[in-house]
């Protein structure tokens, strides 16, 4: 373990840390998270009631499931916040292998096919989407690699190939489902982790070129992806087909005004996935510009707390790990808002804490638990 104890002169950080957290939790982070969670539960109740009553005969069906996942997520969050750091790091590779196994299982007969994609594992009364946990597993692996291989990270054979190969494996399994949006999210996590990890810019530019070429090829050879891209560029040109969801989302946002309508007409079976990926469109219609701004401000304040936790770490691996889990939340929130507002093609990215979905909520609360753990060693 000589390499693990070697200091990095340029940063002054220790590459590893074996002591357990000893400080106080960041209660500001907890308060902001709870406010977003409560808003999310209320919006799931509002956005899903009509659909739940029509499909399940119980307008509280989705709300009750989301509440159950919130309770389970709360337990997991506090466990991750309290477990000693060295135990969490020892579980990193088992967690990585477990998530890879789940991704393989989605491609087996145990995987559930929904809307032409096999992205879920369904077991009786619940289902799980491995992608949400793959984001965390990849971010923590890259944080470990970048922090312990600082003297190698600028080389190609040992600094580029391992993290890119691991990310490529995850992306390959996602594209096989298919889940193009999920592969894009993991690629973004890789890019930003390499950027802060010290990877040479020439390698990053090469990776961007290869990634864009690959994405273009996947769009060209899959007609439905090409239709989505065209619909994103001009959704009203095909408002009844490929551009339908985005058009309904824009109608919802445009109808909200400053303080909202108090109720939403788009959730009455007009806007698909109103309580899932497009819940922010319902927020915009019911709470208006004021409600959208409030949520954005809460997220901005939450990420400011995360930044304080990141910069307060004296250990390099802790800092990179805190950055990685923050990145998972930040990319999710940014892409979701971009899609809902028509600034990015639809990717099926959930809004952390707000969108309906047990896997998304549990993964987001795992990120908060890890950040609370890191907050106890923040200076």
């Amino acid at each position: 373990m000589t390499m693990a104890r070697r200091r990095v002169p340029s940063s002054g950080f220790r590459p590893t840390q074996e002591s357990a957290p000893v400080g106080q939790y960041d209660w500001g982070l907890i308060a902001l998270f709870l406010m977003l969670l409560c808003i999310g539960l209320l919006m799931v109740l509002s956005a899903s009631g009509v659909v739940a009553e029509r499909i399940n005969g119980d307008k509280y069906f989705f709300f009750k499931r989301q509440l159950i996942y919130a309770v389970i997520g709360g337990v997991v969050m506090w466990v991750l916040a309290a477990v000693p750091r060295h135990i969490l790091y020892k579980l990193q590779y088992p967690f990585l292998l477990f998530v890879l196994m789940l991704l393989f299982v989605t491609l087996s007969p145990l995987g559930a096919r929904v809307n032409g994609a096999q992205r879920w594992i369904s077991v009786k009364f619940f289902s799980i989407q491995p992608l949400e946990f793959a984001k965390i597993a990849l971010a923590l692996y890259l944080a470990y690699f970048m922090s312990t291989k600082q003297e190698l990270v600028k080389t190609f054979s040992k600094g580029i190939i391992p993290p890119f190969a691991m990310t490529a494996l995850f992306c390959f399994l996602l594209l096989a489902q298919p889940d193009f949006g999920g592969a894009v999210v993991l690629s973004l996590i890789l890019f930003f982790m390499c950027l802060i990890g010290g990877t040479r810019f020439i390698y990053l530019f090469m990776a961007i070129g290869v990634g864009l070429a690959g994405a273009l090829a996947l769009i060209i050879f899959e007609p439905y992806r090409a239709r989505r891209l065209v619909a994103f560029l001009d959704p009203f040109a095909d408002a009844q087909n490929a551009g339908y969801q985005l058009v309904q989302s824009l109608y919802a946002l445009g109808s909200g005004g400053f303080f909202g309508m108090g109720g939403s007409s788009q959730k009455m079976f007009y806007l698909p996935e109103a309580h899932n990926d497009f819940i922010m469109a319902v927020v915009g219609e019911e709470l208006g510009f004021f409600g959208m701004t409030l949520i954005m401000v809460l997220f901005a304040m939450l990420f400011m707390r995360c930044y304080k936790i990141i910069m307060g770490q004296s250990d390099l691996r802790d800092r990179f790990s805190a950055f990685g889990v923050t990145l998972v939340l930040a990319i999710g929130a940014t892409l979701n808002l971009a899609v809902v507002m028509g600034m990015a093609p639809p990717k099926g990215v959930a809004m952390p804490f707000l969108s309906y979905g047990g896997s998304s909520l549990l993964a987001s609360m795992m990120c908060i638990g890890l950040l609370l753990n890191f907050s106890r060693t923040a200076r």
Side-chain angles (χ1 to χ4, degrees):
M1 303 298 292
T2 304
M3 182 185 299
R5 296 182 180 278
R6 189 175 301 165
R7 288 184 176 271
V8 183
S10 60
S11 62
F13 294 112
R14 299 187 308 277
T16 60
Q17 175 172 301
E18 299 180 358
S19 59
V22 293
Q24 296 293 320
Y25 294 122
D26 188 326
W27 293 101
L29 179 68
I30 295 173
L32 291 165
F33 152 72
L34 288 176
M35 284 189 280
L36 287 168
L37 179 62
C38 290
I39 293 173
L41 289 171
L42 290 174
M43 291 311 305
V44 167
L45 175 61
S46 174
S48 67
V50 176
V51 176
E53 189 169 19
R54 171 74 64 86
I55 298 175
N56 304 101
D58 178 9
K59 66 179 181 180
Y60 300 110
F61 178 81
F62 293 114
F63 171 75
K64 288 187 289 189
R65 288 175 65 90
Q66 189 79 342
L67 189 60
I68 291 172
Y69 279 113
V71 173
I72 296 173
V75 174
V76 174
M77 181 184 74
W78 284 113
V79 169
L80 291 177
V83 170
R85 191 79 46 80
H86 67 278
I87 294 179
L88 287 177
Y89 287 156
K90 285 182 180 179
L91 295 174
Q92 173 185 301
Y93 274 107
F95 180 57
L96 186 72
L97 294 174
F98 176 70
V99 172
L100 280 172
M101 181 190 70
L102 291 179
L103 288 173
F104 276 109
V105 171
T106 59
L107 304 176
S108 73
L110 296 176
R113 181 169 289 272
V114 180
N115 296 328
Q118 200 161 324
R119 304 172 185 173
W120 292 266
I121 301 172
S122 183
V123 182
K124 291 188 177 180
F125 300 109
F126 74 96
S127 60
I128 184 173
Q129 187 176 15
L131 166 64
E132 300 298 336
F133 306 101
K135 300 173 189 177
I136 301 175
L138 180 64
L140 293 177
Y141 162 77
L142 293 174
Y144 161 75
F145 183 89
M146 297 298 171
S147 61
T148 59
K149 313 291 183 183
Q150 276 290 289
E151 67 275 20
L152 302 174
V153 76
K154 293 186 180 296
T155 65
F156 183 82
S157 60
K158 296 182 179 180
I160 292 295
I161 292 180
F164 275 72
M166 180 62 70
T167 306
L169 175 59
F170 274 101
C171 290
F172 174 79
L173 293 173
L174 290 172
L175 291 172
Q177 295 178 354
D179 188 355
F180 180 74
V184 170
V185 171
L186 295 190
S187 299
L188 288 173
I189 292 175
L190 172 66
F191 173 80
F192 286 110
M193 291 300 295
C194 287
L195 189 65
I196 64 107
T199 302
R200 292 183 183 276
F201 285 117
I202 183 64
Y203 296 147
L204 289 178
F205 289 137
M206 291 171 57
I208 291 173
V210 172
L212 290 176
L216 182 61
L218 289 170
I219 292 173
I220 292 175
F221 291 109
E222 287 290 350
Y224 78 92
R225 292 192 183 116
R227 287 195 298 270
R228 285 186 178 182
L229 180 60
V230 172
F232 157 68
L233 296 174
D234 187 5
F236 290 92
D238 193 12
Q240 296 302 317
N241 293 296
Y244 178 81
Q245 191 172 33
L246 180 54
V247 167
Q248 299 304 315
S249 174
L250 294 175
Y251 280 151
L253 292 173
S255 302
F258 192 85
F259 288 109
M261 300 175 61
S264 171
S265 60
Q266 293 304 112
K267 68 184 179 184
M268 305 294 184
F269 304 102
Y270 291 104
L271 176 62
E273 307 297 332
H275 58 294
N276 291 336
D277 302 336
F278 278 77
I279 196 168
M280 289 302 293
V282 179
V283 172
E285 187 176 11
E286 293 192 343
L287 304 181
F289 177 79
F290 175 80
M292 292 284 286
T293 302
L294 174 63
I295 290 176
M296 291 183 186
V297 168
L298 289 175
F299 268 111
M301 294 173 66
L302 184 138
F303 291 134
M304 287 176 63
R305 302 303 303 179
C306 293
Y307 175 78
K308 180 180 178 181
I309 292 171
I310 293 167
M311 299 306 294
Q313 302 304 311
S314 59
D315 179 82
L316 191 59
R317 183 176 181 181
D318 292 345
R319 174 174 280 200
F320 284 0
S321 297
F323 176 81
V325 293
T326 300
L327 194 61
V328 171
L329 296 174
I331 289 177
T334 303
L335 285 182
N336 181 273
L337 279 173
V339 168
V340 169
M341 294 179 178
M343 300 173 65
K347 298 185 185 301
V349 180
M351 173 61 78
F353 315 122
L354 273 74
S355 292
Y356 171 78
S359 297
S360 172
L361 182 59
L362 182 56
S364 298
M365 294 179 74
M366 288 174 64
C367 290
I368 294 296
L370 291 170
L371 285 165
L372 289 175
N373 193 305
F374 291 120
S375 73
R376 299 182 67 187
T377 54
R379 293 177 296 178

